Amino acid sequence: MTGVAFAAHVAAFAVAALACFAGLSRVRYVEDPDTRRGLAGLLATSGGWAAAQAGFLALPTQPVKVGVYTVGLVAGFATVGAWLYFCSAYTGRTLHRNPAVRRAALAVFLVVVVAKLTNPVHGAYYDLVRVSAPFPHLAVRHGVVHWLAMGASYALAAVGGFMLFELLTQTGYDTRPLLALVGLTGLPVVADVVGTATPHLAALTYEPLGVAAFAVGVLFVYEERFQAVRLAADVDDAVVFLTDDDAVREANQRAVDLFPALADATGAPLADVAPGLAERLPGDAPVLELTVDGERRFFQVSATPFTFGRTRVGRMVVVADVTRAERNRRALERQNERLAEFASVVSHDLRNPLNVAAGRLDMERERRDSEDLDAVAGALDRMEALIDDLLLLAREGADIGDRERVTLAALAERAWASIAAPDATLVVDDDAAFEADADRVVQLLENVLRNAAEHGGADVTVRVGVLDDGRGFYVEDDGPGIPEADRESVFGMGVSTADGTGFGLAIVRTIAEAHGWSVAATDAAAADTGARFEVTGVDLADVELAA
């Protein structure tokens, strides 16, 4: 029996060590480098402690046994540091990177290590007594310093446990697996007491078994649950984790609040407990509408693969509250529908009588000349221009087509060709390439160039080029310029200081914002007077200075 008991004790510690070392092969799949280092350190120190305990039992001579046992004590205390490092990194804290915290931790570690290494001098940490039950071995009798160090170790480990519990609570996940793991670390203390008080267990340090089981448990719980919690903690939305065949694995509290059936749905097909959510997993369905606290709300459903290393273990479903965006989208959709109706009215009900009036005017002008008829012709032309601009805003609005690679100089030349200003001059200071809807940018440039021709005089010079910081382009003239107080209002609809429609610069801003750009008016840079329009936020490339 003594041989069996001896072999069982050695095997227990050896298996614990091998399990920890084998677990190191899976740590490389942990993506976050700090979390990976902390988990690897926990497994390595736990395995080293268990291996040292196995060597303490199996090695033949007492001096070697004592040396190995002391090394194991050092490795055992190091597990606390690795555990705290893992907890800090995993929960998104920076304690493990804080120089002051690291120095304090190193100081505590060195003090305890010195106490362990100098035990042959003071004997306050442990002493060894040869006993025969349950098999011949060196029994460890722990001293006061050992129990103080153990108490400090458990207190520090509890700090890491608190970090995890806090994260689990915040994300609404079940804390029982973590409680079970923490319970493993307490069981060896019971074995220590039993081994000291009775002959049924060897009087040894059994903490390596509990800590090794805890380290391996953390690894596999990390794979099955901690990684899910970490991902869920990075978002503020409802999160559901599914197996590869779409059965429910986990759901955070936000998801349970939206879909109460998920509370006890582990292992159940998602289609059975939340059919509305399951229907939207392909990603091409409209937003999900739910009533929450008596209010109609909208949610966007997205699913991404959930992997550990190269192995796909399911997918993560995120249910994001997009109520505000969806309400704005629907309001904009209704507005666009009204604009479309308005465009139809303008196109048919206004343009038809306008054409009749223009025809009658032409007939009357063939009979006689009159300043009054000339004024009517000017008014009809202005109405025609107004209708064209209104239709442009109503039909195209902020929509842009496919983007393509264009150049500023080419678009400026196209726009300038449509401007009726024979005595005006266009100068391209420099050129650049960018991605845009070419036709809409030509419209933008046409309106800015026409604005310069209308306000700058017959012989106005207009310059087009790239901004000094390379973040956009400008169009400027040498005309009278725009008063500073009016530089924002000129982009409003119907605002004009000449004979224009007042919609030209409103269209400019609409096209710019549709591309994700901004436009602003300022003073000209190349002339003493003049207006300058700067379009910023453009991702320019291949800037070329003009000769």
Side-chain angles (χ1 to χ4, degrees):
M1 287 296 293
T2 58
V4 173
F6 173 78
H9 279 71
V10 173
F13 289 108
V15 168
L18 289 174
C20 290
F21 295 142
L24 287 171
S25 64
R26 297 194 63 82
V27 174
R28 67 179 186 274
Y29 296 132
V30 177
E31 294 181 1
D32 179 66
D34 282 354
T35 303
R36 182 170 62 249
R37 281 190 287 268
L39 191 52
L42 180 62
L43 287 165
T45 53
S46 300
W49 194 11
Q53 195 69 4
F56 172 70
L57 287 172
L59 291 171
T61 64
Q62 182 166 331
V64 176
K65 287 177 179 286
V66 172
V68 170
Y69 183 74
T70 304
V71 170
L73 290 179
V74 174
F77 194 67
T79 61
V80 178
W83 165 244
L84 290 174
Y85 191 100
F86 166 78
C87 292
S88 175
Y90 171 74
T91 58
R93 291 174 169 83
T94 58
L95 293 173
H96 59 292
R97 292 179 174 271
N98 187 302
V101 173
R102 295 172 75 154
R103 286 193 294 268
L106 179 61
V108 171
F109 178 74
L110 291 177
V111 168
V112 175
V113 167
V114 168
K116 295 173 185 286
L117 295 178
T118 57
N119 183 73
V121 177
H122 53 73
Y125 206 92
Y126 68 89
D127 63 359
L128 299 174
V129 179
R130 184 165 295 279
V131 297
S132 58
F135 52 83
H137 68 284
L138 285 177
V140 180
R141 302 190 185 278
H142 301 118
V144 174
V145 177
H146 166 84
W147 296 110
L148 290 175
M150 178 179 289
S153 299
Y154 275 98
L156 290 171
V159 173
F162 173 78
M163 296 181 194
L164 290 182
F165 276 114
E166 184 181 44
L167 180 63
L168 291 169
T169 302
Q170 288 175 350
T171 53
Y173 276 84
D174 188 0
T175 59
R176 286 175 294 183
L178 182 59
L179 283 172
L181 286 175
V182 171
L184 288 176
T185 63
L187 291 177
V189 178
V190 178
D192 285 354
V193 174
V194 172
T196 302
T198 72
H200 302 297
L201 282 177
L204 299 171
T205 300
Y206 289 92
E207 280 80 5
L209 295 178
V211 173
F214 176 77
V216 174
V218 167
L219 173 66
F220 286 97
V221 169
Y222 180 89
E223 179 178 346
E224 293 295 324
R225 181 164 303 204
F226 282 4
Q227 190 180 19
V229 174
R230 176 67 179 271
L231 291 171
D234 291 338
V235 297
D236 295 325
D237 304 310
V239 180
V240 182
F241 289 92
L242 305 177
T243 63
D244 214 21
D245 56 356
D246 286 344
V248 177
R249 292 180 60 182
E250 292 284 347
N252 67 358
Q253 189 58 48
R254 297 180 188 87
V256 174
D257 292 341
L258 292 177
F259 308 97
L262 290 173
D264 300 308
T266 301
L270 182 66
D272 292 346
V273 294
L277 178 59
E279 290 172 359
R280 283 158 178 80
L281 287 185
D284 54 358
V287 295
L288 177 64
E289 298 183 26
L290 297 173
T291 300
V292 180
D293 297 330
E295 180 185 8
R296 188 184 185 193
R297 303 194 67 82
F298 303 93
F299 297 87
Q300 185 70 50
V301 180
S302 60
T304 56
F306 180 47
T307 62
F308 190 78
R310 298 183 181 87
T311 303
R312 173 168 170 159
V313 295
R315 52 180 170 168
M316 179 177 72
V317 179
V318 178
V319 185
D321 191 330
V322 293
T323 300
R324 178 178 297 180
E326 181 63 15
R327 287 173 178 169
N328 290 340
R329 187 193 67 80
R330 296 189 179 201
L332 181 60
E333 192 175 74
R334 290 192 295 269
Q335 178 181 340
N336 289 339
E337 290 174 355
R338 290 194 296 268
L339 283 173
E341 294 174 0
F342 170 73
S344 177
V345 170
V346 170
S347 180
H348 296 90
D349 297 355
L350 289 183
R351 197 184 291 276
N352 288 343
L354 181 63
N355 291 336
V356 172
R360 293 297 182 95
L361 175 64
D362 291 340
M363 293 171 61
E364 186 62 25
R365 295 178 78 177
E366 289 177 358
R367 298 189 187 98
R368 62 188 178 93
D369 291 328
S370 166
E371 292 182 359
D372 292 336
L373 293 179
D374 292 340
V376 171
L380 291 177
D381 288 342
R382 178 171 172 78
M383 291 177 65
E384 183 74 26
L386 279 168
I387 289 173
D388 289 341
D389 283 350
L390 286 170
L391 286 174
L392 178 62
L393 283 172
R395 287 176 173 169
E396 299 188 33
D399 293 333
I400 61 172
D402 293 336
R403 300 191 187 211
E404 58 182 309
R405 187 177 180 83
V406 298
T407 60
L408 179 62
L411 297 184
E413 295 288 352
R414 279 181 55 188
W416 185 250
S418 68
I419 306 301
D423 297 325
T425 302
L426 173 68
V427 177
V428 179
D429 289 330
D430 33 50
D431 195 11
F434 53 97
E435 299 287 329
D437 180 338
D439 292 337
R440 299 306 305 278
V441 177
V442 168
Q443 290 174 348
L444 179 153
L445 292 170
E446 283 176 350
N447 285 350
V448 177
L449 295 172
R450 187 175 294 112
N451 182 79
E454 291 174 352
H455 295 81
D459 59 348
V460 67
T461 297
V462 186
R463 312 186 75 91
V464 177
V466 176
L467 295 174
D468 290 340
D469 61 6
R471 296 183 58 252
F473 59 86
Y474 63 83
V475 179
E476 71 169 53
D477 60 61
D478 58 359
I482 303 172
E484 186 174 356
D486 299 333
R487 289 175 185 170
E488 179 62 29
S489 63
V490 294
F491 294 101
M493 293 193 182
V495 177
S496 177
T497 58
D499 294 329
T501 65
F503 289 98
L505 293 181
I507 293 172
V508 168
R509 172 163 283 183
T510 299
I511 295 173
E513 291 179 348
H515 282 83
W517 308 334
S518 299
V519 61
T522 185
D523 290 325
D528 294 335
T529 62
R532 177 181 172 106
F533 294 90
E534 296 183 346
V535 180
T536 56
V538 187
D539 187 12
L540 299 180
D542 301 333
V543 177
E544 296 180 2
L545 299 180

